[in-house]
Amino acid sequence: MATHGRTRSQLNEQAQLQQFIQDKKGRRGTTKGISVQNQRRRTGKLEIVIHLRRKRVVGDNACHFKTEACVTLKQYALLRYPYFKDIPFENKRKMWLAIKQKFDLQGNSQTKAVFFKQFNRQYMNRLHKLHSYYKDHKYDENVLNQPPEGVELSDWELLINYFECEEFRNVSDRNSENRGKLKMFHTCGTKSIAQYCYEDRDTETGVEPTRTDTLKKTHFSTKKNDWVDQESKDPYDKITRLQNPEPEDNHEPMNEDEAFIEALGPENQDEMSSRIEALESQANSQEAQVQAQVQAYLKNQFPAFFQNLGGASHPQENVRKIFG
């Protein structure tokens, strides 16, 4: 039977096409790194910035780096390994070389460690998504022979065996239980807190917002004009009260670090180590600047004496020769 000149079969095909288009809307396709390639054609190697305290890639090209890390992982990180640390060294070396070709590392000694932490996060995130896919299709008859897009059949078989082993199930159950205990939710989306801090920094001095300000920015909804949950508001109020006590509180005002630890507990070891390294790096930089200024002053005031120092080129060495 025809309906307005179209058969029932044609109508069904049209409906299926519309449904297909609707299903595709809002879905992200396979990451190919095309945006990174186009950007590199315009500017050459992309500059990256390392957040020293949080050990994250931040800045204008942070998204490009994550995209390229995803592409590089798919190329060299075989999914047959349950952990990123199990991937062969040669594969990791190729991943590192691939990144070096596309990004300006600026001689930062921490870059490699930061990069591989990002690789590890994205690799484990990909395994998590594949596990979710497997759970959703676990009882399909053809799940073993129909791996997700971009996954080799041999790798998929190994992954399924891993997903079904007792070790993985125990870890998965424990992680699910821990996620269920989370009470504080943030408004960051996929953007890291380090990126928020970087974007809100004073561009002249480089000073970032305080941790208290960052807590509010990442846990306060501007759309609702309210905190995302009470568990986020309570520690913020406590920190504010500890820094600005009322007379009845009977204690001296705390600085921000003291108040933050009192309200939310001590920082984890990684973050504390990062802060120490950042402070040491800042101190070394300031010391080098002072030594360079002293050398410039001496060279200007005592040029003849300066020439007899024996050709020492390092500011610290020159200063030591002069002052013993």
Side-chain angles (χ1 to χ4, degrees):
M1 179 183 296
T3 304
H4 298 293
R6 290 182 293 177
T7 65
R8 186 181 300 276
S9 176
Q10 290 173 328
L11 289 173
N12 288 338
E13 290 180 0
Q14 181 68 19
Q16 291 174 2
L17 178 59
Q18 290 178 349
Q19 183 62 44
F20 174 78
I21 295 174
Q22 185 65 32
D23 291 342
K24 292 289 285 184
K25 286 183 178 179
R27 290 175 55 189
R28 182 171 179 171
T30 303
T31 301
K32 299 180 180 179
I34 296 176
S35 62
V36 178
Q37 296 175 19
N38 293 336
Q39 183 72 8
R40 286 184 62 220
R41 290 192 187 100
R42 293 191 295 267
T43 63
K45 283 189 176 183
L46 304 184
E47 181 180 344
I48 61 167
V49 179
I50 302 296
H51 194 288
L52 293 178
R53 184 161 71 89
R54 299 184 182 273
K55 292 189 176 180
R56 290 265 192 166
V57 175
V58 295
D60 297 336
N61 293 318
C63 289
H64 288 317
F65 168 72
K66 291 180 181 179
T67 298
E68 193 58 34
C70 179
V71 174
T72 305
L73 278 171
K74 289 181 178 180
Q75 187 174 2
Y76 297 111
L78 305 178
L79 287 169
R80 64 189 62 179
Y81 300 102
Y83 298 101
F84 182 78
K85 65 180 181 180
D86 298 327
I87 296 174
F89 172 80
E90 182 61 22
N91 292 54
K92 292 180 180 178
R93 187 183 71 84
K94 291 178 180 178
M95 293 164 60
W96 171 242
L97 293 176
I99 289 294
K100 286 180 66 176
Q101 290 177 352
K102 298 168 184 175
F103 293 90
D104 181 5
L105 309 185
Q106 302 177 7
N108 192 317
S109 60
Q110 299 189 41
T111 300
K112 193 170 185 178
V114 172
F115 277 12
F116 277 103
K117 279 190 175 182
Q118 180 67 35
F119 282 141
N120 180 71
R121 281 192 295 268
Q122 291 190 216
Y123 184 79
M124 299 310 294
N125 183 54
R126 191 180 182 200
L127 287 183
H128 171 72
K129 291 180 178 179
L130 291 174
H131 180 236
S132 298
Y133 175 89
Y134 173 66
K135 287 195 299 183
D136 293 341
H137 300 82
K138 185 175 182 178
Y139 298 105
D140 293 353
E141 294 182 359
N142 298 320
V143 64
L144 185 62
N145 300 319
Q146 294 180 349
E149 183 180 358
V151 180
E152 296 292 336
L153 181 59
S154 57
D155 290 342
W156 183 235
E157 292 174 350
L158 290 172
L159 280 176
I160 290 179
N161 290 333
Y162 176 61
F163 293 154
E164 289 294 339
C165 75
E166 183 177 359
E167 176 190 358
F168 178 84
R169 289 202 300 268
N170 291 338
V171 173
S172 179
D173 292 342
R174 184 170 64 249
N175 290 341
S176 297
E177 181 180 352
N178 290 337
R179 283 193 296 271
K181 296 178 182 178
L182 292 176
K183 297 180 179 180
M184 293 178 63
F185 299 93
H186 60 74
T187 59
C188 298
T190 58
K191 185 185 294 187
S192 68
I193 293 179
Q195 181 68 19
Y196 268 107
C197 293
Y198 177 81
E199 292 176 355
D200 285 354
R201 76 194 188 287
D202 186 312
T203 55
E204 293 184 359
T205 64
V207 176
E208 296 182 350
T210 65
R211 287 189 291 174
T212 308
D213 291 338
T214 302
L215 173 65
K216 183 172 183 178
K217 182 176 179 62
T218 56
H219 293 80
F220 188 89
S221 173
T222 54
K223 292 182 179 180
K224 298 179 180 179
N225 194 31
D226 195 8
W227 291 86
V228 293
D229 48 51
Q230 191 65 32
E231 286 74 12
S232 300
K233 181 179 184 301
D234 288 344
Y236 179 86
D237 291 341
K238 184 175 182 179
I239 292 170
T240 304
R241 183 72 176 260
L242 290 171
Q243 290 182 280
N244 304 280
E246 298 292 338
E248 62 269 20
D249 291 334
N250 295 322
H251 68 76
E252 295 295 323
M254 293 185 180
N255 62 41
E256 187 188 33
D257 284 342
E258 294 171 338
F260 205 91
I261 292 174
E262 179 69 21
L264 291 170
E267 296 176 305
N268 61 56
Q269 192 62 37
D270 286 342
E271 185 167 352
M272 290 184 68
S273 299
S274 299
R275 295 190 70 190
I276 292 172
E277 290 176 6
L279 290 172
E280 289 177 345
S281 176
Q282 183 180 9
N284 292 336
S285 176
Q286 291 174 346
E287 181 182 1
Q289 290 177 3
V290 171
Q291 291 171 350
Q293 291 172 358
V294 171
Q295 176 174 283
Y297 173 80
L298 294 173
K299 188 174 183 179
N300 181 57
Q301 296 295 321
F302 310 101
F305 179 74
F306 195 88
Q307 291 176 358
N308 295 326
L309 289 176
S313 59
H314 195 281
Q316 186 175 5
E317 186 178 349
N318 286 335
V319 173
R320 284 176 178 171
K321 284 192 174 185
I322 294 174
F323 295 104

